[in-house]
Amino acid sequence: MKKSLISLAVLSVVFPLSSHAAQISGQLTDNSGKPIAGVAVHVHGKEKTVTTNNAGQYQIELDADSQLHFSKDGFLDKRISVKNEAQTINFVLEKSSIEAITVYASALHKSNLEMASPVAVLAGDELKDKSSNTLGETLNRLPGVSQTYFSSVASSPVIRGLDGPRVRVMQNGLESSDASRVGPDHANTNETLSADQIEVLRGPATLLYGSGAIGGVVNVVDGRIPTTNYESLEGAVEYKHDTVNEGNTAAFVLNGGDNGFNFHLDGLKRKTEDTEVPKFEAHHEEHEEEHEGEDHADEHDEEVLDSIENSFIDTTAFNLGTSYVNEHLVVGVSYGKIESDYGIPGHSHAHHDHDHGHEHEEEDHGHEDEHEEHGDVFARLTQDRYQARFTYSLHDSMIERFDVKLGYTDYRHAEIEEGMEGTVFTNESKELRATAEHNLLGWHGVVGYHYYDSDYGADGAEAFTPHSDTTQHALFVLEEKTFGDFRVELGGRFENTEIDAPEIHLGHDEHDHEAHDEEEHHGEEYAYVGEFDSVSLSAGTIWNFKEGHSVALSLGHSERAPSAAELLSNGLHIATSTYDLGLGYEIEDGEIHFEPENVESETSNNIDLTLRKFNGNFGYTINAFYNQIDNFYFQQDTGLVIDAHHDEMLSMDEYLSHGHDEDEATRVFQYQYADVDLYGIEFDVHYQVNDQLLVKLIGDHIRNDVKDSSEYLPRFPQNKLGFEAEYDWRALQVNFAATHYFEQDKLGAHETHTDSYTLFDVSAKYNLDVLNTDSFVFAKVQNITDELAFSHTSFIKDIAPLPGRNVQLGLRVYF
């Protein structure tokens, strides 16, 4: 009997017994006393939400002491604690100049206005209006964000000058698990047109998702696993046409449900031709500068181009998911597939002596001939992605919620040349993220475990990275507590990373180009297993010093193990026209030696200060940051080139003395160490002039200092300043934007100067309001002046300018 009572007491703490239901009701009004319709009233920790009616009234039932969250676009969020007893709660919602959006990656259900760390969110119609072919292009104009830009076929986000493995790209909180972190020519597999919102987190908040995410986290949120109940069929369809590449894009999303069971389906088809650009002369400026005084005019015939050759896209994608949802439980699964053929600009084998020694049986896609006419080489990307989610919310307990996310991804990227597969990149990944949200001694927080395994393979003549298996285990915690007008956040993460590469080759390969025989390998072979332990810590506070005003300060310490590509790369990377070498190699007298024993972890210490004003008609967000990084890994031009047999490094003069043509030279880029300081400011200012006119000013100024060096980090983004005006008149919305990108003259080794440029865009959207649907026709003109512009962050800057003038026409229907 005594044991039974003890057991019952324990269960009542973790899984409390049901109590009687209490009805909470009330009315919400604005400052002028007018009722506010459509306010979402959500019970914290449960899948339970109601909305206010046209009279601003709401009614919701509770069965325990709870917290209610009131939110609506254009108004400040309100959170109040309520007792489990019938009562009436009326109050006024303050208008907001900045839209409050719940950030799913925040872990603690915070909005963008409540975060201690800087965050930017694109959501709703704003996301749909700014959606582009790639994730990098879509986010490029956010303060502090730029893009790698490998033409419009592949572009990933660069955050505060950091990219690659330092920026973790996620889909619904799980790793995207493609190969876009390995090379800039690998497309990201997240489709922005089917997303509900995209979150960009910077600063210490990112440590929850990996010690490697010191640059930031990009979380693409979609509804493939529904977490709310649908009582009827709803969705959207969109079609748009772009003249700059004769592109056509069609997408749809469909949601429905009954009695707690829900489903989601979305799909996309995109097909474009090569991207048109303003006429420009393609040349090899870097070689000309390096050999000043020598006459190479005959060797560098400049070609006038008006398009980016081999930059077509042909993509098909869909996601299917289902779930069961009630007040306590969300359980669901999803499957997503993407197939994409896209050109690889500048990828030509005309002067490289290698073949397809690792031929693969090719799947019959039925359209090889159609794509071969676009260019010499194109990529065929396929990805199958499975996800599952289990969430259980408790009532009135120290433990509020358990959440488990599972993911499995099978990724494949093959380069197709003359109808046959050449180099093939694969990534098979498994991921588990389990968290428990709790309230303990006045601290609200989450603790969790994260497991990630990536089995990465590269097979073929251009496999510049060896096969490797990277396994990570991590424990993390984030806690917050409120002290009057202050809220304090503390976080930590311990991560163990193991990199296992069973076959690392030194030397060169010989191929039979006619018979495609098995390659013959000459040189040494190594097996490598490396293990790294990383500790990351964060502390932050946000002070709401006045209604609608806050200042936030956050501190972070992060340690990062090198990625397999940063550590072990050793081979031709034809897409970037480079020979890539990792941190684990040394070059001595023109020969490569494998010496990975002394590779150290990258260590970052950073501080972020954020000032926000978000009430009334005028608002702003200003972020200032300083990031001091020891052992910063970066890829730099060594000034050497590699000969045709890939077994000797030479200076350019030695290479030319052997009778080679400078145009055929493949430069050696190696990952190196340096201590680096990054610092800057980002701002986003809004002013609602009147009910019709909204103006915005955005910008960033970011710098880097490489210690003990007169040079700067290579491919560092240009600073920008942008202006936007949005005018609403009845059913018509017109938007004008101008963005100036400043010149980049802070150059890395062997880099060339990038000029400033200004891009002007104008768009219009008209609400047809037919058949009880929100139907919009829209038109957009991008780069109105047809400005010739180059992105300094691009590996292929000299042959891939930004797109020329584009006219986009489209239709979007919500039902």
Side-chain angles (χ1 to χ4, degrees):
M1 179 66 178
K2 184 177 181 180
K3 290 182 179 180
S4 298
L5 290 175
I6 294 174
S7 299
L8 183 61
V10 171
L11 289 173
S12 67
V13 173
V14 180
F15 300 98
L17 299 176
S18 299
S19 58
H20 70 280
Q23 183 170 284
I24 311 296
S25 60
Q27 184 185 39
L28 305 182
T29 57
D30 62 18
N31 287 323
S32 63
K34 294 180 180 179
I36 309 174
V39 178
V41 184
H42 174 69
V43 182
H44 173 72
K46 301 180 186 178
E47 303 302 330
K48 188 171 186 177
T49 302
V50 299
T51 57
T52 58
N53 59 22
N54 290 333
Q57 298 170 337
Y58 71 94
Q59 185 174 296
I60 193 167
E61 285 190 350
L62 304 180
D63 55 8
D65 292 349
S66 303
Q67 183 187 82
L68 294 182
H69 178 201
F70 300 83
S71 62
K72 178 178 171 62
D73 291 354
F75 292 87
L76 299 182
D77 283 16
K78 187 85 170 180
R79 299 175 189 269
I80 60 172
S81 297
V82 294
K83 294 290 185 181
N84 183 30
E85 55 189 40
Q87 54 189 298
T88 299
I89 302 177
N90 303 321
F91 57 85
V92 174
L93 280 185
E94 293 282 340
K95 283 191 174 182
S96 172
S97 59
I98 302 175
E99 183 179 0
I101 304 173
T102 300
V103 180
Y104 292 94
S106 69
L108 296 176
H109 323 291
K110 299 299 180 186
S111 77
N112 54 320
L113 303 180
E114 300 172 307
M115 297 279 289
S117 295
V119 62
V121 182
L122 277 181
D125 279 342
E126 183 183 14
L127 171 58
K128 297 296 186 289
D129 294 341
K130 295 182 178 179
S131 178
S132 190
N133 290 347
T134 64
L135 184 61
E137 290 175 295
T138 300
L139 302 177
N140 182 45
R141 294 189 179 181
L142 291 177
V145 182
S146 51
Q147 58 174 327
T148 54
Y149 195 70
F150 203 86
S151 178
S152 294
V153 299
S155 182
S156 294
V158 180
I159 301 177
R160 293 177 171 177
L162 302 177
D163 62 351
R166 294 185 186 86
V167 175
R168 179 144 294 185
V169 179
M170 305 186 304
Q171 183 268 320
N172 290 331
L174 295 177
E175 184 77 27
S176 292
S177 297
D178 48 37
S180 62
R181 307 295 87 198
V182 176
D185 57 310
H186 294 260
N188 188 280
T189 55
N190 289 288
E191 280 294 344
T192 60
L193 199 58
S194 58
D196 295 330
Q197 67 185 52
I198 302 177
E199 305 161 352
V200 181
L201 280 72
R202 289 152 285 190
T206 62
L207 67 82
L208 291 180
Y209 297 97
S211 59
I214 64 172
V217 164
V218 176
N219 186 35
V220 181
V221 180
D222 61 30
R224 66 181 65 187
I225 298 180
T227 57
T228 57
N229 281 320
Y230 293 100
E231 301 299 334
S232 60
L233 197 63
E234 60 183 65
V237 294
E238 179 169 329
Y239 168 79
K240 60 183 178 182
H241 174 79
D242 293 276
T243 61
V244 76
N245 52 23
E246 294 303 320
N248 294 287
T249 302
F252 75 92
V253 60
L254 194 63
N255 295 302
D258 181 59
N259 199 29
F261 291 93
N262 308 277
F263 77 89
H264 170 92
L265 177 64
D266 69 68
L268 176 140
K269 177 64 179 179
R270 175 183 294 115
K271 193 169 184 178
T272 77
E273 302 298 329
D274 290 348
T275 299
E276 295 178 357
V277 298
K279 287 184 178 180
F280 73 104
E281 294 180 343
H283 59 284
H284 301 275
E285 184 179 350
E286 65 272 18
H287 300 325
E288 294 166 5
E289 287 187 1
E290 201 170 297
H291 300 279
E292 255 183 60
E294 299 180 28
D295 184 10
H296 293 289
D298 293 335
E299 300 177 26
H300 298 283
D301 294 330
E302 295 182 343
E303 182 181 6
V304 177
L305 301 176
D306 59 5
S307 66
I308 302 176
E309 296 180 4
N310 205 23
S311 59
F312 72 92
I313 303 173
D314 188 351
T315 299
T316 304
F318 75 89
N319 298 292
L320 174 66
T322 185
S323 68
Y324 174 74
V325 179
N326 63 28
E327 279 192 39
H328 299 271
L329 181 68
V330 175
V331 57
V333 295
S334 70
Y335 168 70
K337 187 175 186 67
I338 181 170
E339 293 182 341
S340 183
D341 288 358
Y342 61 90
I344 306 178
H347 195 322
S348 172
H349 293 257
H351 60 267
H352 292 283
D353 185 21
H354 54 130
D355 78 337
H356 306 286
H358 293 276
E359 295 291 341
H360 303 273
E361 290 296 325
E362 201 175 346
E363 300 174 16
D364 181 12
H365 291 264
H367 45 224
E368 278 99 357
D369 294 339
E370 180 183 346
H371 297 315
E372 281 178 25
E373 68 186 35
H374 288 278
D376 185 31
V377 179
F378 66 90
R380 170 156 293 149
L381 180 158
T382 60
Q383 185 187 72
D384 295 282
R385 185 171 177 87
Y386 302 85
Q387 288 184 324
R389 181 172 184 178
F390 171 84
T391 301
Y392 189 82
S393 302
L394 290 81
H395 290 177
D396 191 23
S397 172
M398 289 189 299
I399 300 177
E400 291 186 343
R401 175 192 299 223
F402 293 104
D403 192 38
V404 179
K405 295 179 180 179
L406 295 165
Y408 171 79
T409 303
D410 187 6
Y411 169 92
R412 190 174 190 269
H413 169 112
E415 295 183 356
I416 312 298
E417 182 180 5
E418 297 178 354
M420 295 181 292
E421 287 191 352
T423 305
V424 175
F425 301 89
T426 59
N427 187 14
E428 183 180 7
S429 69
K430 298 175 283 290
E431 186 170 11
L432 165 67
R433 177 177 289 274
T435 60
E437 187 178 344
H438 58 270
N439 273 297
L440 183 63
L441 301 177
W443 288 86
H444 176 217
V446 60
V447 296
Y449 166 73
H450 183 208
Y451 165 80
Y452 182 72
D453 179 80
S454 171
D455 187 357
Y456 172 83
D459 192 13
E462 298 167 21
F464 60 94
T465 53
H467 176 87
S468 62
D469 193 326
T470 301
T471 304
Q472 293 180 337
H473 298 271
L475 297 173
F476 59 88
V477 59
L478 177 66
E479 302 288 340
E480 67 169 11
K481 189 172 183 178
T482 300
F483 300 90
D485 293 331
F486 289 86
R487 190 178 76 250
V488 175
E489 292 184 5
L490 301 175
R493 180 183 176 100
F494 174 78
E495 184 174 281
N496 173 266
T497 301
E498 182 178 286
I499 301 175
D500 183 0
E503 296 180 359
I504 298 176
H505 300 290
L506 292 185
H508 66 277
D509 300 332
E510 291 183 359
H511 309 279
D512 183 339
H513 292 269
E514 294 183 2
H516 297 295
D517 291 335
E518 288 296 321
E519 69 178 28
E520 183 180 354
H521 179 75
H522 298 266
E524 299 174 278
E525 184 175 305
Y526 295 85
Y528 171 78
V529 178
E531 188 170 355
F532 302 84
D533 290 331
S534 304
V535 176
S536 300
L537 302 170
S538 72
T541 183
I542 183 168
W543 176 31
N544 296 295
F545 61 90
K546 187 179 178 182
E547 181 71 28
H549 297 69
S550 69
V551 59
L553 176 69
S554 55
L555 308 173
H557 169 84
S558 181
E559 299 173 356
R560 183 176 82 88
S563 68
E566 291 172 318
L567 183 65
L568 303 175
S569 291
N570 180 10
L572 282 169
H573 192 177
I574 303 301
T576 58
S577 300
T578 61
Y579 189 98
D580 291 3
L581 268 184
L583 292 162
Y585 300 92
E586 297 289 340
I587 303 174
E588 296 179 6
D589 298 325
E591 295 184 352
I592 303 172
H593 302 277
F594 186 55
E595 300 177 4
E597 295 80 10
N598 297 322
V599 174
E600 299 181 20
S601 293
E602 187 178 85
T603 304
S604 169
N605 295 288
N606 67 291
I607 180 170
D608 271 273
L609 181 65
T610 301
L611 181 64
R612 300 186 184 105
K613 178 185 182 301
F614 41 87
N615 66 336
N617 294 322
F618 177 71
Y620 54 78
T621 300
I622 302 172
N623 305 317
F625 71 94
Y626 174 79
N627 194 352
Q628 184 253 322
I629 309 175
D630 295 333
N631 300 321
F632 182 84
Y633 314 140
F634 66 101
Q635 198 176 21
Q636 180 162 288
D637 191 339
T638 63
L640 301 174
V641 298
I642 193 162
D643 72 2
H645 297 290
H646 309 169
D647 59 357
E648 187 177 11
M649 306 292 178
L650 306 171
S651 69
M652 180 62 77
D653 289 336
E654 290 174 318
Y655 184 80
L656 295 175
S657 70
H658 290 179
H660 297 299
D661 189 335
E662 185 176 349
D663 284 338
E664 298 178 358
T666 300
R667 292 178 169 269
V668 179
F669 276 60
Q670 184 171 22
Y671 285 96
Q672 300 180 4
Y673 292 107
D675 293 341
V676 174
D677 290 338
L678 300 175
Y679 52 92
I681 188 169
E682 308 153 344
F683 59 88
D684 184 346
V685 181
H686 295 63
Y687 179 50
Q688 188 75 49
V689 180
N690 51 45
D691 290 341
Q692 289 79 39
L693 180 62
L694 171 68
V695 295
K696 303 178 184 179
L697 188 68
I698 65 99
D700 54 48
H701 182 86
I702 302 171
R703 289 298 189 206
N704 73 89
D705 286 333
V706 180
K707 296 180 181 178
D708 302 321
S709 173
S710 60
E711 296 172 341
Y712 297 87
L713 292 179
R715 296 173 301 283
F716 201 78
Q718 298 149 270
N719 296 318
K720 63 177 177 285
L721 178 65
F723 170 80
E724 186 174 344
E726 185 176 290
Y727 185 79
D728 291 307
W729 184 71
R730 298 182 180 177
L732 178 66
Q733 182 184 91
V734 179
N735 183 283
F736 171 80
T739 308
H740 179 75
Y741 294 82
F742 294 87
E743 68 175 348
Q744 182 55 280
D745 55 3
K746 310 294 185 184
L747 306 178
H750 310 287
E751 278 197 317
T752 58
H753 172 272
T754 300
D755 290 330
S756 63
Y757 57 91
T758 304
L759 301 179
F760 297 95
D761 300 336
V762 64
S763 63
K765 182 170 61 175
Y766 186 80
N767 189 344
L768 299 176
D769 193 20
V770 295
L771 300 177
N772 294 320
T773 66
D774 282 329
S775 302
F776 298 91
V777 290
F778 56 88
K780 182 186 298 184
V781 183
Q782 298 167 299
N783 192 4
I784 297 172
T785 60
D786 204 29
E787 175 91 348
L788 178 63
F790 296 88
S791 174
H792 191 76
T793 56
S794 176
F795 255 102
I796 58 171
K797 178 185 74 171
D798 292 332
I799 66 168
L802 296 177
R805 183 186 300 111
N806 177 45
V807 178
Q808 182 184 96
L809 302 173
L811 172 69
R812 184 183 307 144
V813 179
Y814 297 97
F815 58 88

